[in-house]
Amino acid sequence: MIDRKKKMMIDAKAKILKALAHPTRIMIIEKLSEDGECCVCELVELANADFSTVSKHLTVLKQAGIVSDDKRGQQVFYTLQMPCAVRFMDCLESVIKSGVKSQMEMLK
Amino acid sequence: MIDRKKKMMIDAKAKILKALAHPTRIMIIEKLSEDGECCVCELVELANADFSTVSKHLTVLKQAGIVSDDKRGQQVFYTLQMPCAVRFMDCLESVIKSGVKSQMEMLK
DNA sequence: CGAATATTTGGCTATTATACCAAATAAGCA
DNA sequence: TGCTTATTTGGTATAATAGCCAAATATTCG
């Protein structure tokens, strides 16, 4: 069994991970990491999806504390607030690449 | 726009993140990290869920390359294969804790 | 003020995930 | 062989997600 405090921590982690677990949101995060803050319209172009769709993805990221927003004029600019998310993505990238490599080894 | 290779990498990352993004699976991963390999029955006890439910969670983790399994006798033992996942969980833990702290600051 | 632009919200549908139960499979033992 | 234990698989009901369109909101500018 597991105590309540631990359970809450696990649920909090799950919430963040769920927010990260979507291709469009990953693209957004990586873009924000590379370019710094972006307005929604830039991210719409990147994601090649509906404006409303991207806006909803950004809401998910914001509610998980992964990005923050700042309205200036008509535009809203989003900024990455969780650098360790990107570090983890990079780690995943090397895991995936080495996985592919070892799969290719098996095929020999 | 984004090229096909990049898109595939992003989808692969999303797949792994999706596999991580469930409280029961997080519990399993942390347990495997602390205790080393475990049989399914130990994880059932931990998760306080149906045997079949836990088994399906383990299948998700295995298909994402996060754990591996080894059948010995009647039991199947699962082992964590992605240590950086746990490192990221730890990072999340400190992000969550500092978030709670800064929220409490705001309440003062 | 009224039009134009940027973004969010509401509503709907289609797809996907989750949990449990029951049944199937597999291994070890009497 | 037949029984028990450990685990997986199939079926199904329910809930959560994702995407698009249309409408609402907010801001700037003429």
Side-chain angles (χ1 to χ4, degrees):
Chain A
M1 283 296 159
I2 204 159
D3 65 73
R4 193 181 323 197
K5 225 172 181 176
K6 225 169 200 167
K7 178 64 181 146
M8 281 180 62
M9 178 55 77
I10 285 173
D11 287 344
K13 289 177 188 173
K15 186 186 162 189
I16 295 173
L17 284 163
K18 235 180 352 180
L20 294 172
H22 189 286
T24 299
R25 295 197 287 264
I26 293 173
M27 277 200 289
I28 290 172
I29 289 167
E30 293 188 341
K31 166 93 169 155
L32 292 178
S33 164
E34 285 161 26
D35 295 11
E37 68 170 17
C38 293
C39 67
V40 182
C41 54
E42 288 175 275
L43 301 170
V44 166
E45 197 182 349
L46 170 83
N48 196 31
D50 200 85
F51 226 107
S52 66
T53 301
V54 172
S55 176
K56 279 173 186 173
H57 282 305
L58 287 165
T59 302
V60 172
L61 291 172
K62 193 170 74 172
Q63 287 190 343
I66 297 164
V67 303
S68 64
D69 62 344
D70 178 28
K71 179 156 197 171
R72 293 203 297 275
Q74 308 169 258
Q75 290 178 304
V76 180
F77 293 88
Y78 281 85
T79 308
L80 188 63
Q81 293 294 328
M82 205 180 280
C84 73
V86 177
R87 264 183 274 129
F88 181 54
M89 304 275 187
D90 291 342
C91 173
L92 284 187
E93 191 151 335
S94 59
V95 167
I96 291 161
K97 279 178 180 157
S98 70
V100 171
K101 223 182 286 172
S102 64
Q103 274 178 281
M104 295 195 332
E105 291 297 321
M106 288 194 297
L107 289 174
K108 276 186 187 170
Chain B
M1 283 297 159
I2 203 158
D3 65 72
R4 193 178 327 191
K5 225 172 181 176
K6 225 170 201 168
K7 176 66 182 146
M8 282 180 61
M9 178 55 78
I10 284 174
D11 287 345
K13 289 178 189 173
K15 187 187 162 190
I16 295 174
L17 284 164
K18 236 181 348 181
L20 295 173
H22 188 286
T24 299
R25 295 197 288 265
I26 293 173
M27 277 200 288
I28 290 172
I29 290 168
E30 294 189 339
K31 165 94 169 157
L32 292 177
S33 165
E34 286 161 27
D35 295 9
E37 68 170 18
C38 293
C39 68
V40 182
C41 52
E42 289 176 275
L43 301 171
V44 167
E45 197 182 348
L46 171 82
N48 195 31
D50 200 86
F51 225 107
S52 67
T53 301
V54 172
S55 177
K56 278 173 186 171
H57 282 304
L58 287 165
T59 301
V60 171
L61 290 172
K62 193 171 75 172
Q63 287 190 344
I66 298 165
V67 303
S68 64
D69 61 344
D70 178 27
K71 179 156 198 172
R72 293 202 297 275
Q74 308 169 257
Q75 291 178 305
V76 180
F77 292 88
Y78 281 85
T79 308
L80 189 64
Q81 293 294 327
M82 204 180 280
C84 72
V86 176
R87 264 182 276 130
F88 180 54
M89 303 277 186
D90 291 341
C91 173
L92 284 186
E93 192 152 335
S94 58
V95 168
I96 291 162
K97 279 179 182 160
S98 70
V100 171
K101 221 182 289 172
S102 66
Q103 273 179 280
M104 295 197 327
E105 290 298 320
M106 287 194 297
L107 290 174
K108 278 184 186 171

